[in-house]
Amino acid sequence: MSSSPRRPAGLPERLDTDDTLVMGVLNVTPDSFSDGGAHDDAPAAISHGLRLVGQGASIVDVGGESTRPGAPRVDEDEELRRVLPVVTALAAKDIVVSVDTMRASVAAASIEAGALIVNDVSAGRADVDMGPEVARLRTRLGTPPVFIAMHWRGHSDVMNELAVYRDVARDSAAELAERLSALREAGVEDRFLVADPGLGFSKTGEQNWEVLADWPTLSSHGLPLLIGASRKRFVSALGVDRDLATAAISAYSAEHGAWAVRVHDVGSSVAAVRVGDRLRRSVRR
Ligand code: PMM
């Protein structure tokens, strides 16, 4: 459906597949709305990460700062304390780890600890050093890290007030395109970039559905795409099992050619992306 590259450079060969990948969420935070802080200590978080891989996750996304609407920021030392032992242990098992952070210093320390991907929900807006730092970094595989750049308008304490658009799909894609240009100017190469529409970030329930429904606009960046709908309010608001509803969005995303989906419940989305992949291959273009 889209002619965008299917996947970024810089990852192990086993991820060189046309199948949509499943990224498992590992929030190492006491205030995460998703897991209630159940993994706020390294051993529990590490075993949860291994469980995600066992269920079929190709990537584990480790985050030490909640981005839940209204959440306060954590300081840098605390963020490092939460993520580094987990990144180190999972990377030592040759697991592909991404670090979900808005801080260049945390990105750098995590790449040093073995992560291969920097997932910055602010796409370099929260920390001006992020773009140049990621361009400079080299992973344990000897390449720059993959950089996931998401559409973002502001920190969690204010983001719900910022959900004002003329046309949410087009406006948010245009804003992300500006960020992508800034990152390229900072030296991040296109082949390491992934775009993410930022579902649930400064968008009302209805606006999230409008963004997701407009796949041509969503995929207009000419980059691999990551979709993160898992357990978000607009999904829970359907009033059905939020992981099954997330899996349905995973099938839709795979059918449209997403590179990866970011989910909490890996098993259901692994099955769902297989259906989406299978359909995509049989669609007459
Ligand atoms: N959503 C959350 C956190 N990080 N990263 C990317 N790239 N895309 C997302 O949609 C995204 C993200 C918030 O969800 P969580 O608190 O359940 O992890």
Side-chain angles (χ1 to χ4, degrees):
M1 215 156 280
S2 100
S3 55
S4 305
R6 285 283 302 144
R7 48 186 177 262
L11 297 176
E13 252 172 48
R14 63 179 190 276
L15 267 57
D16 272 348
T17 164
D18 272 348
D19 292 344
T20 296
L21 304 179
V22 174
M23 169 190 275
V25 177
L26 185 49
N27 288 324
V28 196
T29 56
D31 57 351
S32 165
F33 68 94
S34 309
D35 57 22
H39 310 296
D40 185 33
D41 66 281
I46 293 160
S47 43
H48 187 66
L50 296 174
R51 195 154 50 237
L52 295 173
V53 172
Q55 290 165 349
S58 300
I59 302 165
V60 176
D61 189 41
V62 180
E65 178 173 33
S66 174
T67 48
R68 175 174 48 102
R73 294 216 67 187
V74 296
D75 68 34
E76 181 183 334
D77 287 346
E78 176 62 12
E79 192 183 351
L80 286 166
R81 192 194 66 76
R82 290 178 185 179
V83 300
L84 283 185
V86 181
V87 171
T88 304
L90 296 178
K93 293 193 182 293
D94 200 30
I95 291 167
V96 176
V97 174
S98 78
V99 61
D100 188 342
T101 186
M102 290 183 266
R103 289 193 171 99
S105 56
V106 177
S110 299
I111 296 299
E112 178 74 32
L116 300 179
I117 302 172
V118 176
N119 174 23
D120 177 2
V121 296
S122 82
R125 280 186 67 184
D127 183 344
V128 291
D129 294 334
M130 185 64 100
E133 183 69 353
V134 168
R136 191 188 63 75
L137 290 170
R138 294 296 176 268
T139 69
R140 61 187 160 91
L141 302 183
T143 71
V146 171
F147 190 92
I148 299 171
M150 200 191 80
H151 174 254
W152 183 90
R153 279 187 161 183
H155 286 288
S156 299
D157 53 343
V158 292
M159 73 177 176
N160 282 346
E161 297 153 31
L162 303 174
V164 181
Y165 302 85
R166 268 184 307 115
D167 174 329
V168 67
R170 283 166 190 269
D171 295 355
S172 60
E175 288 168 22
L176 179 56
E178 275 177 33
R179 287 310 310 155
L180 291 166
S181 300
L183 291 166
R184 290 179 183 112
E185 271 168 40
V188 180
E189 290 175 60
D190 242 45
R191 62 200 177 101
F192 296 100
L193 280 169
V194 170
D196 181 330
L199 298 174
F201 287 82
S202 298
K203 295 171 191 76
T204 63
E206 168 57 24
Q207 287 168 347
N208 288 299
W209 292 109
E210 286 177 27
V211 168
L212 206 43
D214 190 351
W215 202 271
T217 302
L218 186 72
S219 57
S220 59
H221 305 289
L223 293 172
L225 286 166
L226 174 70
I227 301 295
S230 185
R231 295 185 182 174
K232 292 195 174 154
R233 276 180 198 171
F234 76 102
V235 177
S236 302
L238 293 170
V240 294
D241 182 294
R242 60 188 183 160
D243 288 322
L244 295 181
T246 298
I249 296 174
S250 296
Y252 167 85
S253 302
E255 201 272 326
H256 285 76
W259 165 67
V261 291
R262 179 184 180 281
V263 299
H264 301 82
D265 187 58
V266 167
S268 55
S269 275
V270 166
V273 298
R274 287 297 84 83
V275 173
D277 285 337
R278 191 63 194 79
L279 278 169
R280 187 177 72 246
R281 295 204 178 95
S282 295
V283 169
R284 261 183 250 249
R285 309 282 180 208

